[in-house]
């Protein structure tokens, strides 16, 4: 199935069920496409939001927030990408008030009169670009093309694929610079893990291949223990953890993160073929979110690729 889309402004759309489903039998996933209208913010890439993923009756993603509004910056589900250039949109500093800058995976947006870039603001979209969606039984490929925006342009492809031989979901990305200016950016997956919808707290451990340390006081909610970040208490509504984590090196082998929840009886391993440039950790009572950043510097005419693997598993019965 192939869908070619030229977007008109999306507004006043009610919350909808996922419009894409893929499966290998043991793995089943439901997703939102860009045309679904589920997410209309300008912070995250619009393609391939994972509304749910099921393996052996276990669930790994879901609706982690209370209030839904398609224009809210983080009213979104599952692994989603956010691209940043020095913490801003691409070309933000160069654009004058009223001109456009770029949110990769969203399109060209208008720079209003404001003192500083606001990450959580939903900006006015002036050019949504062109989306193409191709679906088969076990995968979906999204392509987003944006033409010249103050010298920036790109062809972005993302394929979300379920593995038929193992309980794995792979997200394969490529970003081709079709503009006149270099694309200098970072990208991370905001995963919004919800392991069997169990609350964040006792029983949650995040594992790394390196000794991990935090850049701030975690206020008794969690603590680094060697190669693990361990929750020390349950998070209540309104409480959160936010920290930068350190200890990783400059090779892809350190991008290997496991989130396990003994009460849920399951875990997920997240790995990549690219090294981390920054590692942030955020959590509230409903979700656990390691955020591993990847840096890119793409000259005009060049293409940058990266891949994220998600391996899903059950914990040994002795861990329960």
């Amino acid at each position: 199935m192939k869908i070619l889309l030229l977007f008109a402004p999306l507004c006043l759309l009610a919350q909808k069920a996922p419009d894409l489903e893929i499966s290998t039998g043991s793995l089943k996933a439901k997703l939102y496409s860009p045309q679904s209208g589920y997410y209309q913010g300008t912070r995250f890439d619009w393609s391939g939001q994972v509304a749910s993923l099921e393996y052996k009756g276990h669930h790994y993603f879901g609706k982690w927030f209370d209030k839904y509004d398609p224009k809210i910056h983080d009213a979104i589900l599952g692994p989603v990408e956010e691209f940043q250039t020095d913490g801003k949109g691409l070309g933000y500093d160069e654009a004058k008030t009223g001109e456009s800058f770029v949110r990769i995976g969203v399109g060209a947006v208008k720079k209003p009169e404001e003192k500083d870039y606001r990450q959580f603001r939903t900006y006015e979209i002036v050019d949504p670009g062109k989306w193409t969606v191709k679906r088969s039984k076990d995968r979906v490929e999204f392509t987003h093309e944006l033409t010249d925006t103050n010298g920036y342009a790109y062809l972005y492809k993302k394929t979300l694929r379920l593995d038929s031989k193992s309980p794995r979901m792979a997200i394969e990305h490529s970003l081709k610079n079709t503009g006149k200016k270099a694309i200098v950016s970072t990208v991370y997956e905001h995963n919004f893990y919800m392991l069997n919808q169990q609350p964040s707290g006792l029983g949650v451990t995040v594992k790394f291949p390196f000794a991990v340390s935090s850049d701030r006081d975690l206020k008794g909610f969690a603590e680094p223990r060697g190669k693990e970040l361990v929750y020390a208490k349950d998070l209540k509504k309104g409480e959160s953890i936010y920290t930068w984590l350190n200890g990783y090196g400059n090779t892809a082998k350190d991008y290997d993160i496991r989130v396990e929840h003994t009460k849920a009886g399951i875990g997920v391993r997240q790995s990549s073929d690219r090294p981390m440039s920054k590692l942030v950790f955020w959590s509230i009572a409903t979700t656990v979110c390691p955020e591993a950043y990847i840096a890119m510097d793409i000259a005009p005419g060049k293409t940058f690729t990266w891949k994220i693997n998600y391996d899903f598993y059950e914990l040994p019965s002795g861990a329960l």
Side-chain angles (χ1 to χ4, degrees):
M1 180 176 70
K2 182 176 180 179
I3 307 169
L4 185 63
L5 301 160
L6 285 173
F7 275 90
L10 294 171
C11 59
L12 302 178
L13 293 179
Q15 183 172 344
K16 295 183 177 182
D19 57 336
L20 295 170
E21 294 188 26
I22 54 176
S23 173
T24 60
S26 62
L27 275 179
K28 300 176 182 179
K30 296 181 180 180
L31 304 94
Y32 285 104
S33 69
Q35 76 269 26
S36 71
Y38 185 87
Y39 181 71
Q40 299 172 36
T42 55
R43 178 182 174 187
F44 293 109
D45 171 9
W46 280 19
S47 62
Q49 307 160 51
V50 180
S52 66
L53 184 141
E54 182 179 348
Y55 170 61
K56 289 188 174 181
H58 300 294
H59 299 270
Y60 291 81
F61 306 101
K63 184 174 177 289
W64 59 273
F65 50 88
D66 291 328
K67 180 181 179 182
Y68 172 74
D69 181 323
K71 297 289 188 180
I72 294 177
H73 73 94
D74 60 357
I76 198 165
L77 310 167
V80 288
E81 295 81 4
E82 181 180 12
F83 295 81
Q84 298 179 355
T85 299
D86 294 327
K88 305 173 186 178
L90 180 64
Y92 178 87
D93 288 337
E94 304 160 47
K96 298 177 182 178
T97 298
E99 293 183 341
S100 297
F101 65 98
V102 174
R103 296 299 281 144
I104 297 172
V106 176
V109 301
K110 184 178 180 180
K111 183 176 182 178
E113 185 174 348
E114 60 182 358
K115 183 177 179 181
D116 296 300
Y117 177 77
R118 294 165 59 187
Q119 182 184 11
F120 300 156
R121 179 173 187 159
T122 295
Y123 290 89
E124 177 188 348
I125 299 173
V126 295
D127 182 1
K130 182 175 71 176
W131 283 101
T132 304
V133 181
K134 297 179 182 178
R135 183 184 68 85
S136 57
K137 182 179 179 181
D138 62 351
R139 70 193 64 191
V140 184
E141 179 186 284
F142 304 93
T143 302
H144 191 218
E145 185 175 7
L146 184 70
T147 54
D148 183 61
T149 301
N150 283 346
Y152 294 104
Y154 64 77
L155 183 66
Y156 172 49
K157 294 184 178 182
K158 180 170 78 173
T159 300
L160 194 149
R161 176 175 53 83
L162 302 180
D163 195 314
S164 61
K165 297 180 180 179
S166 64
R168 167 178 286 186
M169 176 177 72
I171 306 181
E172 300 160 346
H173 311 77
S174 70
L175 183 61
K176 181 177 181 179
N177 185 347
T178 59
K180 299 177 182 178
K181 298 178 180 179
I183 295 177
V184 180
S185 181
T186 60
V187 62
Y188 70 94
E189 301 287 335
H190 210 320
N191 299 289
F192 299 117
Y193 291 126
M194 298 182 70
L195 303 188
N196 279 339
Q197 283 70 52
Q198 289 291 317
S200 307
L202 293 172
V204 175
T205 302
V206 187
K207 300 180 177 181
F208 307 91
F210 52 85
V212 67
S213 61
S214 172
D215 77 332
R216 67 198 67 189
D217 181 6
L218 300 182
K219 301 178 181 179
F221 292 122
E223 59 184 20
R225 298 178 188 172
K227 296 181 179 181
E228 299 179 349
L229 181 69
V230 181
Y231 280 65
K233 61 189 298 186
D234 294 335
L235 293 180
K236 299 177 182 178
K237 187 173 182 178
E239 296 177 332
S240 65
I241 299 171
Y242 179 85
T243 182
W244 287 26
L245 298 177
N246 301 303
Y248 55 89
N250 59 3
T251 64
K253 69 179 181 63
D254 278 348
Y255 192 141
D256 191 341
I257 304 166
R258 293 175 183 261
V259 178
E260 297 181 349
H261 200 317
T262 56
K263 294 180 180 179
I266 57 175
V268 55
R269 179 187 181 188
Q270 176 184 339
S271 58
S272 178
D273 61 348
R274 294 284 186 175
M276 291 185 286
S277 62
K278 184 170 74 172
L279 178 58
V280 172
F281 186 82
W282 176 80
S283 178
I284 59 174
T286 55
T287 185
V288 178
C289 305
E291 304 170 18
Y293 287 66
I294 293 172
M296 60 187 76
D297 187 343
I298 315 170
K302 300 297 183 181
T303 300
F304 184 86
T305 64
W306 70 104
K307 180 179 180 181
I308 312 291
N309 290 321
Y310 295 86
D311 295 288
F312 308 100
Y313 55 93
E314 295 179 300
L315 297 179
S317 57
L320 300 178

